[in-house]
Amino acid sequence: MHRLLLLGCLWLLAAPPASSIFQRPTGTPAPARLQYLLEPLHPTVHTQRGATATLPCVLRALPSNYRVKWSKVEPANYRENIIIITNGLYHKNYGPLSPRVRLRHSHRYDASLTITNVALEDEGRYRCQLVNGLEDESVSLTLHLEGVVFPYQPSNGRYKFNYHEAKRACEQQDSRLATYQQLYKAWTEGLDWCNAGWILDGTVHYPIINSREPCGGRLLLPGVRTYGARDKQKDRFDAFCFTSALQGQVYFIRGHLNFKEAGQACRNHGAAIAKVGQLYSAWKFSQLDRCDGGWLADGSVRYPITTPRERCGGLPDPGVRSFGFPSKEMRTYGTYCFVG
């Protein structure tokens, strides 16, 4: 009976207002020193897709009748989604993360959150909140996935996606819409792209390293240029997708294949024709380097270069090169396959 009552109390806890999760305005008083929660030594936890990651949250003391609530901040809708609530004895999981999360609980003061089989959508900001009457307090942590950002447009040309179509397009290519932080990091690492694209929070940007006339003019400084928030239904742009490490392998089959034959060649090997995000991941994490154009699942033809050379496109920087979307009847290319 006591256990049922405790679990019932966990259900009644309400989520905090969304405004409480954001950075305090300049000039406001600093928050009071934490009484019960320890400040994390490393507020950012680095991981990769498929790994197990732990977000630390440790109490320095156990107040009476306390609860600890873990939640995730979602940038697309500015909400907090509850993940797990515990009173130290019992806990309850919530939402889509429920099957993959648990409390580490290595000792009685430990309320750290462990996420298994980390997925692309797990990246972001998390909050560990001690709920203790008038003495509520919290710490924020960021889960950062190592990965790669790539621009994406469909076969019928640029600026064809509204926000929802861009989101689906990235997911279909084994990726997701990038966050602003991911796009900014990609720009610092050399991403230079003149076409504007959607990112996860519904804003539109494009990263420029080399200022030039078709991309805002030569006088504008390099940077991540922004169009701000746009109408998610009506406005149309490209997409910036993000992917992380693969749980599998991408490999090349040589031949003179059309698109249909390319897919069959992969199936003959017990594999599937690779998606764009999988090729980028193999290039980034497995240093896949081939001078051969190959079909991918979306009908495009691309090839990954980690060591630039004159006879492989002639460009000075590493990257995934594209031949665009040739006719699917052309029997000119090999194929890139993915086996999980």
Side-chain angles (χ1 to χ4, degrees), residues 231-248:
D231 189 307
K232 292 182 179 181
Q233 291 287 353
K234 297 179 181 178
D235 289 328
R236 295 187 172 271
F237 298 94
D238 291 346
F240 285 106
C241 305
F242 171 83
T243 192
S244 185
L246 286 174
Q247 293 181 283

Side-chain angles (χ1 to χ4, degrees), residues 115-245:
I115 304 173
T116 60
N117 194 21
V118 170
L120 294 175
E121 60 268 22
D122 296 342
E123 169 146 321
R125 188 177 175 191
Y126 291 75
R127 190 161 84 128
C128 176
Q129 181 183 19
L130 177 75
V131 181
N132 183 37
L134 298 176
E135 298 178 333
D136 294 358
E137 57 188 49
S138 65
V139 294
S140 292
L141 300 107
T142 298
L143 185 66
H144 173 75
L145 270 68
E146 300 293 340
V148 57
V149 172
F150 61 94
Y152 189 75
Q153 59 183 221
S155 59
N156 57 343
R158 71 172 195 161
Y159 294 176
K160 301 297 184 181
F161 294 137
N162 66 24
Y163 172 81
H164 307 288
E165 292 164 345
K167 185 172 182 291
R168 283 195 300 272
C170 289
E171 290 166 356
Q172 289 166 357
Q173 297 308 315
D174 193 48
S175 59
R176 72 185 301 235
L177 279 176
T179 65
Y180 181 81
Q181 289 78 11
Q182 290 165 344
L183 181 62
Y184 183 87
K185 183 174 184 290
W187 168 72
T188 66
E189 294 171 348
L191 181 59
D192 182 270
W193 197 254
C194 206
N195 294 345
W198 294 101
I199 62 171
L200 186 60
D201 63 3
T203 57
V204 174
H205 309 267
Y206 63 102
I208 294 296
I209 298 289
N210 302 305
S211 298
R212 50 203 186 272
E213 286 304 329
C215 305
R218 298 180 183 276
L219 298 180
L220 286 180
L221 294 175
V224 178
R225 314 260 174 84
T226 179
Y227 287 2
R230 309 300 295 221
D231 189 307
K232 292 182 179 181
Q233 291 287 353
K234 297 179 181 178
D235 289 328
R236 295 187 172 271
F237 298 94
D238 291 346
F240 285 106
C241 305
F242 171 83
T243 192
S244 185

Side-chain angles (χ1 to χ4, degrees), residues 241-274:
C241 305
F242 171 83
T243 192
S244 185
L246 286 174
Q247 293 181 283
Q249 179 186 6
V250 173
Y251 63 93
F252 181 75
I253 294 179
R254 189 183 299 276
H256 296 283
L257 309 171
N258 63 30
F259 178 72
K260 184 177 180 180
E261 292 167 341
Q264 187 59 52
C266 291
R267 289 191 292 273
N268 291 344
H269 286 75
I273 189 168

Side-chain angles (χ1 to χ4, degrees), residues 19 46 71 79 160 167 174 180 216 242 258 286 309 325:
S19 60
H46 296 267
S71 55
R79 295 180 59 187
K160 301 297 184 181
K167 185 172 182 291
D174 193 48
Y180 181 81
F242 171 83
N258 63 30
S286 302
R309 46 211 187 268
F325 295 84

Side-chain angles (χ1 to χ4, degrees), residues 16-28:
S19 60
S20 65
I21 65 177
F22 297 110
Q23 185 177 2
R24 59 190 174 87
T26 304
T28 58

